Amino acid sequence: MSKLTATATCTAHGAVVEQTGESVPQPLLVQRVAWLAGLARDLTADLVAERWTADDLDTLASGVGLDGRALPAKGWMAVRRLGWGLPPAPGVHVCDRVLRCAQEQAARTLRLALHRRTLVTAITTTWPADARKRTAAEWEALRKMLPDGVSAAEIRNRTRQIRACLDEHGVLPADLTDLEEPPNVAVQIVLAAADKQLVTLERTGEGSARLRVKLPLVASPACGRDWAWHVLPITLPPTVPAEAKLCSPTLRVGKGRVRVDLPFQTPIGFTPATGHVVACAFDWGVNTLLTGATGRLADGRVISDGRPLTYDASGVSAKLHRLRAEREHLAAKHEHVQRLLAGLAPADPRSANLRAAGEALGVEHERVCARIRRLNKALAWSAARWAVDQAIAAGATVIYLEDLATLEARGRRGRANARLSGQVRGQVVEAIRHLAAKSTIAVVTVPARGTSKYCPRCGDGRSVLRHCRAPDRLAEPGWAWACCPVCGLSCDRDWAAAERILARGLLGQQATRTHRTTGTRTIGTVVEGNVARARRRRKPSRAARRARHTRTDLHPRPAARDRSKDRPTPKRPARTSSTRSLMTSSRVPDRRTVPAPFPAGSGQRPAGHAPQPGRRPPSRTGHVRNSHHRTGFHHAHATPVLALAEHRHGLSQATPARIA
């Protein structure tokens, strides 16, 4: 058994002073929490600014304290072992546990800067002759100096940052401290570094907890009497299970309320890295957000069930594209107003109007950014919930994804990937890992290069697919459809790539590596193999069984008709209002299946909610009229989740004669 750590954001609407029993309303509680977070933020910012030097970063990166011992994992202990510390402002009384919290946040900020410093050092050391296009040798030299897991997007962004500094100053930056100013510090207090002298937390029920924390009574406390214990009742969201262990939270103020970021740990089962037989693979599609395939490893062969899985978020993607365009437009207008203000004197009567316009533009820009973040998060969790539901319904023990660190697209796919980058593919991967861990399903990434290039049926790394516009327009070059000139395979491009990812994962699972720190699993070795498609057996109909027993023809040939013209052709009756109402439509009704049943004891779903009992059915037949129930989105369309016995065991019952 292992533990899965997640964070739930709760809201404290009020508190009670423990000593006097005084009730603290929400506005006063927000003020006191803001005072505490402000004290911690000032201490953290001063410590980060003082230690933002190359020598201090070298000392922290060495991992050795002043006494020669290794630095501990806890940030506040490492800062104290290095002898770093700043006293509070004169006349302000702050207990040692608040200093601990400030030092912990400062250590986390500086340790995050060490990763950026490693990237900057590697890029400046191997600076290419042409920064816009590296050669193969330059890429190889750069990759050797970079740590594992660095994506091409990180390299590109840091290269642009360094190139901008080079164009401005004429020389490459010697260190990260020359490239960036000290990072900003969030106004919050990390109570994970404190003990019971500052905070205590206990669970009072399945959906409630009691937070006891010491808060200042004034903005600048001068002595211990200016601090008092406050009891904050907290309502836990349904995503926190009853068996979860609650950890010390982080307090902050957001939108006029006290936000409690509460970490919790849930016991989960162990997922092996190898030995998988049934798997699901998903490709970051061009036509859709996610395109998947389900397959099985049998006698060294990969057999797919021949059913594509698609999650189409084109509607949400278009909405995000419009929001990003609006955000850029507001940012450009805000910058224009700031330039106009810079050219006016403070006494100019036009300054007041421009200042008010700039503030309004800034508020609107922040609202659009918040809307984009919310939509990105909701889309990521909806897609992840759908992918994990498909794996559970298929009985898969592993999910294979393309490694984002090796995903670098060009041409039409590059433009599509640039649009989908706003949907935060990293959030989708993290959400899939989180939800899959709850269901004891492993998540492994495979190399992305070449997955859409070779044929999954006969390619084996050699047969190159021809991409075209549509199956009936094979002669026209395009990007949506794939056709193999060798075996004649004709299918969706993303589906072919998903089957290629499935083969690379199942055949190369012996090369799976687990990261020692993060626990993420990756396959770095490319093992190619062909994928066969199995056809599931169909149960014979009643007419077929009757014909087999009676030895009669199931579809007898009708008797020949006398087609000689010996009478006039009769007229068809004219349609009237009475006859038209009795006519039935030849259109086949749209029948959709319901989603997979809600797993008991796994908390509330972030998307794709199960049908609520007691609600009126959407139709008399019990079928849902639209696909909103499957994804939780009104602009996303996805393949329904089929938790059927034939789908789960159909691959194992397939015979060689039925494998295409």
Side-chain angles (χ1 to χ4, degrees):
M1 297 294 292
S2 57
K3 296 180 181 179
L4 178 66
T5 303
T7 302
T9 301
C10 312
T11 303
H13 298 283
V16 176
V17 180
E18 188 178 53
Q19 185 176 4
T20 62
E22 175 191 358
S23 178
V24 181
Q26 184 176 7
L28 183 57
L29 179 63
V30 168
Q31 188 180 35
R32 293 180 180 179
V33 172
W35 287 340
L36 177 61
L39 291 174
R41 186 261 175 196
D42 294 339
L43 294 171
T44 302
D46 294 341
L47 181 57
V48 171
E50 183 184 6
R51 301 300 172 179
W52 192 251
T53 61
D55 296 337
D56 290 334
L57 291 180
D58 289 336
T59 304
L60 182 61
S62 65
V64 181
L66 299 179
D67 53 358
R69 293 184 298 171
L71 295 177
K74 294 184 178 180
W76 67 271
M77 296 180 64
V79 167
R80 294 191 176 187
R81 187 166 294 182
L82 289 172
W84 297 352
L86 285 176
V92 178
H93 174 78
V94 175
C95 65
D96 179 71
R97 299 314 185 257
V98 176
L99 292 176
R100 275 191 190 183
C101 298
Q103 292 168 351
E104 176 70 26
Q105 189 173 357
R108 294 182 183 184
T109 304
L110 293 175
R111 282 175 171 174
L112 286 175
L114 292 180
H115 174 71
R116 303 196 302 273
R117 190 189 190 209
T118 303
L119 300 184
V120 171
T121 302
I123 294 175
T124 54
T125 304
T126 61
W127 188 253
D130 185 6
R132 292 176 176 80
K133 186 177 181 181
R134 289 184 173 89
T135 62
E138 292 171 344
W139 273 111
E140 183 178 359
L142 176 60
R143 287 289 184 185
K144 288 182 179 179
M145 297 190 62
L146 291 174
D148 296 335
V150 179
S151 63
E154 291 183 87
I155 299 175
R156 180 172 59 250
N157 294 337
R158 292 298 164 186
T159 302
R160 291 173 179 173
Q161 184 183 17
I162 296 172
R163 188 172 60 208
C165 180
L166 177 62
D167 295 340
E168 181 179 358
H169 301 284
V171 294
L172 291 173
D175 200 270
L176 179 66
T177 56
D178 299 333
L179 187 63
E180 297 179 0
E181 295 294 330
N184 297 326
V185 179
V187 184
Q188 63 183 13
I189 179 165
V190 183
L191 297 176
D195 55 11
K196 61 182 180 180
Q197 296 186 22
L198 182 63
V199 60
T200 59
L201 178 65
E202 61 178 350
R203 194 160 191 164
T204 57
E206 291 187 1
S208 60
R210 177 174 175 267
L211 178 64
R212 181 171 170 266
V213 62
K214 186 179 288 188
L215 298 177
L217 302 178
V218 294
S220 300
C223 59
R225 291 189 299 271
D226 293 335
W227 294 77
W229 284 100
H230 290 66
V231 178
L232 285 68
I234 299 174
T235 301
L236 302 178
T239 53
V240 182
E243 67 275 7
K245 176 187 175 183
L246 305 182
C247 305
S248 297
T250 297
L251 292 182
R252 57 183 175 88
V253 175
K255 296 183 179 180
R257 296 183 179 181
V258 176
R259 303 296 186 183
V260 182
D261 296 330
L262 182 64
F264 62 94
Q265 295 178 346
T266 308
I268 58 174
F270 175 74
T271 55
T274 58
H276 302 290
V277 179
V278 181
C280 283
F282 295 96
D283 172 68
W284 301 109
V286 176
N287 308 321
T288 58
L289 174 62
L290 283 176
T291 303
T294 305
R296 180 184 182 90
L297 183 63
D299 299 330
R301 296 182 62 191
V302 179
I303 304 174
S304 173
D305 66 345
R307 176 172 174 260
L309 312 174
T310 58
Y311 185 91
D312 184 8
S314 56
V316 185
S317 177
K319 187 177 186 65
L320 285 169
H321 187 65
R322 293 192 299 268
L323 289 175
R324 285 195 295 269
E326 183 179 358
R327 178 188 60 185
E328 298 299 329
H329 179 65
L330 291 173
K333 292 178 67 175
H334 187 266
E335 292 178 1
H336 179 65
V337 170
Q338 295 300 321
R339 288 195 299 268
L340 292 177
L341 281 173
L344 295 178
D348 197 306
R350 296 172 294 178
S351 300
N353 295 334
L354 286 175
R355 194 174 296 106
E359 293 177 357
L361 289 172
V363 171
E364 185 64 24
H365 181 267
E366 181 58 32
R367 288 177 180 175
V368 173
C369 292
R371 191 176 181 185
I372 292 175
R373 289 193 298 267
R374 289 195 300 268
L375 194 56
N376 282 335
K377 183 179 179 180
L379 178 60
W381 281 97
S382 175
R385 179 75 266 175
W386 170 83
V388 175
D389 279 350
Q390 294 288 355
I392 294 174
T397 58
V398 62
I399 295 176
Y400 292 109
L401 302 171
E402 281 184 305
D403 191 0
L404 294 178
T406 61
L407 185 64
E408 184 71 17
R410 301 174 180 85
R412 166 77 188 198
R413 181 160 183 167
R415 293 194 296 272
N417 288 344
R419 174 174 294 188
L420 291 177
S421 64
Q423 299 171 358
V424 193
R425 286 176 169 174
Q427 288 188 10
V428 179
V429 175
E430 292 301 323
I432 290 178
R433 287 187 176 133
H434 179 82
L435 296 175
K438 289 184 177 181
S439 304
T440 321
I441 298 177
V443 178
V444 184
T445 58
V446 300
R449 188 174 183 84
T451 54
S452 302
K453 183 178 181 181
Y454 301 106
C455 176
R457 180 181 294 181
C458 70
D460 206 8
R462 295 183 298 272
S463 180
V464 179
L465 291 173
R466 184 174 69 247
H467 296 139
C468 52
R469 292 181 179 272
D472 56 346
R473 303 163 68 181
L474 301 180
E476 302 179 17
W479 50 271
W481 201 259
C483 178
C484 179
V486 178
C487 67
L489 174 69
S490 180
C491 65
D492 184 84
R493 167 194 177 134
D494 300 333
W495 185 21
E499 289 187 339
R500 174 64 58 188
I501 295 171
L502 180 68
R504 289 185 179 183
L506 288 176
L507 298 177
Q509 57 182 302
Q510 299 299 328
T512 303
R513 298 181 301 172
T514 304
H515 198 277
R516 298 174 61 183
T517 305
T518 61
T520 58
R521 290 171 175 169
T522 307
I523 297 178
T525 305
V526 177
V527 180
E528 300 290 1
N530 297 334
V531 180
R533 292 180 181 174
R535 301 173 183 173
R536 293 187 295 274
R537 295 183 177 182
R538 294 184 177 181
K539 186 177 180 180
S541 63
R542 181 180 300 177
R545 293 195 302 268
R546 185 185 300 112
R548 183 175 57 189
H549 291 302
T550 59
R551 298 182 181 278
T552 58
D553 192 2
L554 179 62
H555 303 287
R557 183 182 299 274
R561 293 171 52 187
D562 186 10
R563 299 182 179 275
S564 59
K565 188 72 171 177
D566 56 354
R567 61 185 182 275
T569 304
K571 277 189 174 184
R572 294 184 179 180
R575 293 186 180 183
T576 62
S577 58
S578 58
T579 59
R580 189 180 295 110
S581 61
L582 297 177
M583 297 180 64
T584 58
S585 173
S586 61
R587 180 181 178 185
V588 179
D590 190 7
R591 298 172 64 89
R592 297 182 174 90
T593 57
V594 298
F598 180 74
S602 61
Q604 183 183 6
R605 291 177 180 234
H609 302 281
Q612 299 294 330
R615 289 191 177 181
R616 179 184 176 183
S619 63
R620 287 178 294 178
T621 59
H623 296 286
V624 182
R625 294 191 181 98
N626 50 50
S627 61
H628 304 165
H629 69 285
R630 293 195 299 264
T631 61
F633 260 99
H634 297 280
H635 302 283
H637 306 280
T639 304
V641 179
L642 300 177
L644 304 179
E646 303 89 90
H647 181 67
R648 182 172 296 181
H649 305 292
L651 292 176
S652 61
Q653 297 174 357
T655 58
R658 288 183 174 270
I659 297 177

